[in-house]
Amino acid sequence: MTVTAPEPPPGWVPVEHRLLGLDRRTFTPALIALAIALVLAYGLPALNAAIPWHNEIRAGELLDLGDGATAVPPVGWQLQNGTLTGTAVANPATLQVVLATGGATIELRGAPYDGTAAAFLDQVRLSEGDDAPAIDSARGTVTTTAGLTGVAQSTTSPSGDGLDVAFKVAGRGQAADTAPALLFRVRTAPGQFERYRDEIGGVLRSITPGAGR
């Protein structure tokens, strides 16, 4: 006569693999999963906070806006994107500069555009939509120290304050309508624009076309 041992019930764990009623064989993958979750939740943010910025603007540095055009960035701000003079060659039609500090950013964007500065500003604002509740100021003009005139409009909303200034930067003998456009854009946290007003105004006034323009 042959005696067949009964099959163990589903989920049964041999006694040699048990610890406090748990299957010890599952400890390793569970600990690995826990370690990965802790790194994602706490490790990476801590590492990001520990890494210092290394693109702080120093006195005497100039932003390269392409074709010899420049602007003076505020000392102590961080250059998150863009080129300083003497380090590379910027293209005025594809320019992307981002300066940041605390609750404020300054962007300078270049683009090819046939039309006036006012029309360029219209197109930028139209392309970005107008769904957010905001109060726009009346448009005005801004003239830099070098004599470059742009069209300016500020905005106030629950999410913060902003300023957009559109320029057309014509080369020597070039019609303004066919010249590259330059958008100077400021965004600050709510109530922070006044804190940075002097630094923002300094960068705006310092925009200087190239000698060949």
Side-chain angles (χ1 to χ4, degrees):
M1 183 177 66
T2 302
V3 177
T4 304
E7 291 292 330
W12 179 78
V13 178
V15 66
E16 64 271 23
H17 294 307
R18 295 179 197 167
L19 178 63
L20 300 177
L22 301 176
D23 187 349
R24 292 188 299 177
R25 295 171 296 182
T26 64
F27 286 5
T28 298
L31 290 174
I32 292 174
L34 177 61
I36 293 174
L38 290 175
V39 168
L40 293 175
Y42 302 103
L44 294 181
L47 179 62
N48 185 54
I51 296 175
W53 287 93
H54 292 293
N55 292 320
E56 184 173 302
I57 297 296
R58 294 171 294 183
E61 291 181 326
L62 288 174
L63 293 173
D64 187 344
L65 306 184
D67 285 351
T70 60
V72 180
V75 174
W77 285 46
Q78 301 295 335
L79 179 62
Q80 294 188 345
N81 193 20
T83 302
L84 297 174
T85 56
T87 59
V89 178
N91 184 335
T94 59
L95 188 71
Q96 292 286 334
V97 175
V98 179
L99 298 160
T101 188
T105 60
I106 297 175
E107 296 181 56
L108 294 104
R109 304 182 195 169
Y113 184 78
D114 290 340
T116 65
F120 176 66
L121 187 55
D122 286 339
Q123 178 169 306
V124 169
R125 296 172 73 87
L126 181 64
S127 67
E128 295 177 345
D130 194 21
D131 297 331
I135 300 174
D136 293 336
S137 71
R139 289 192 177 182
T141 58
V142 171
T143 301
T144 72
T145 302
L148 189 64
T149 298
V151 179
Q153 187 162 28
S154 60
T155 301
T156 299
S157 74
S159 61
D161 302 320
L163 171 67
D164 289 338
V165 184
F167 296 96
K168 291 302 295 288
V169 189
R172 181 171 296 172
Q174 184 179 20
D177 281 359
T178 61
L182 175 66
L183 177 68
F184 177 92
R185 166 163 287 183
V186 178
R187 292 293 181 267
T188 71
Q192 294 296 303
F193 192 93
E194 287 299 321
R195 177 181 177 184
Y196 300 107
R197 177 180 290 277
D198 291 345
E199 291 163 300
I200 293 167
V203 181
L204 185 56
R205 290 190 299 272
S206 74
I207 296 174
T208 303
R213 291 181 166 180

